[in-house]
Amino acid sequence: MSAALIGLNVCVAAITLLGLGYFARVRMPRPPVGKYEPPDVLVVMAVVMLAPLLYLELPRTAVAVVFGLVLCAALQFTLAPLLGGLGAALLAVLAVAVTGGLALADRTLAVLVLTDVLLAVAVVGVATMWAQSGFKSVHTAWFAGLLAVYDLLATGLSSVMDRFAAQVMGLPFAPLLAVTRGDPPVALGLGDLLLIVLFPLVAAKAYGRAAALLAGALGVLASSAISVLFATGTLTGAFPLMVVLGPVIVAQHL
């Protein structure tokens, strides 16, 4: 398990650096959103809170289809500035189709790796779009703080996220950066990964390169610290990472 935990945090660090590089070099088309306000953060939070409850009521095949469509769209707009709209669409559809085909062929390892790669690209694109379209440090701090409370309730004090993880584990396009699917799996949730990648980008925009590097380092450090607790046997079940990461982000903003 220790090797898997190290691999997970190496992946998190690599995706964080990829996000910073993409953010610095690529200008994404801005969606017509004007500017973000606190109510917008509450709307995003409502979606985050309700989505797992909805997915728990759907058949696993339907969940995989929904995730696949969302991931395909995210891949397209992430790759469009690099490949053009048509090229990005073709590559996104091909990548999703290949991953789905491998899942039908029961190639579990290949599906795990491809899902992680596609998820990493999509997270970098979504984080960059938010940061470049007006999502500020204060919005990220509010988002992280609210997610910390939600994660404590949904993961630490109830079984919602445990049941959700069991529902999506092993599916193609699952919203988990997974290294293993054991019991417990070595994986990081999509929301956790998005916040780790997002905050360095808004910090770079608001405060400069040094703040961005500090934010990235502290995000990876928070994930690594929890991994150490798992490696030493102090933690054995699902842990709400946002309970640690949320206050770290809020403190940096303040």
Side-chain angles (χ1 to χ4, degrees):
M1 176 182 260
S2 295
L5 289 167
I6 292 172
L8 176 64
N9 287 289
V10 168
C11 290
V12 171
I15 296 168
T16 302
L17 290 173
L18 179 63
L20 286 168
Y22 185 91
F23 177 78
R25 291 170 175 78
V26 176
R27 178 60 55 181
M28 300 186 74
R30 292 188 60 173
V33 295
K35 65 177 183 177
Y36 287 94
E37 299 289 350
D40 301 315
V41 178
L42 295 178
V43 170
V44 175
M45 270 302 305
V47 173
V48 170
M49 293 171 62
L50 294 175
L53 299 176
L54 173 62
Y55 293 138
L56 286 173
E57 301 301 320
L58 295 176
R60 280 170 56 86
T61 301
V63 173
V65 170
V66 171
F67 287 156
L69 293 173
V70 172
L71 195 54
C72 186
L75 289 170
Q76 194 280 330
F77 72 67
T78 301
L79 297 173
L82 304 175
L83 304 176
L86 179 59
L90 292 175
L91 184 56
V93 170
L94 178 62
V96 169
V98 168
T99 305
L102 290 170
L104 292 175
D106 201 27
R107 303 295 295 272
T108 56
L109 179 59
V111 171
L112 179 73
V113 173
L114 275 175
T115 296
D116 283 351
V117 171
L118 300 183
L119 188 68
V121 174
V123 164
V124 166
V126 170
T128 299
M129 181 185 70
W130 283 9
Q132 290 183 350
S133 62
F135 212 78
K136 298 179 181 179
S137 177
V138 63
H139 302 134
T140 311
W142 272 103
F143 191 31
L146 292 171
L147 272 180
V149 175
Y150 172 71
D151 206 9
L152 176 62
L153 297 174
T155 304
L157 301 178
S158 74
S159 63
V160 171
M161 295 311 295
D162 281 341
R163 291 186 289 124
F164 175 70
Q167 169 83 327
V168 303
M169 184 60 68
L171 290 178
F173 322 117
L176 298 168
L177 183 70
V179 177
T180 71
R181 294 173 175 168
D183 186 19
V186 177
L188 187 71
L190 174 60
D192 303 327
L193 181 62
L194 180 59
L195 264 295
I196 289 174
V197 175
L198 174 63
F199 189 66
L201 306 189
V202 296
K205 186 175 179 180
Y207 308 116
R209 182 181 179 186
L213 293 175
L214 176 63
L218 290 177
V220 175
L221 181 61
S223 175
S224 301
I226 301 305
S227 295
V228 170
L229 296 179
F230 275 105
T232 58
T234 306
L235 294 176
T236 56
F239 181 83
L241 177 60
M242 284 307 304
V243 172
V244 176
L245 182 61
V248 168
I249 290 175
V250 171
Q252 288 177 86
H253 168 72
L254 293 175

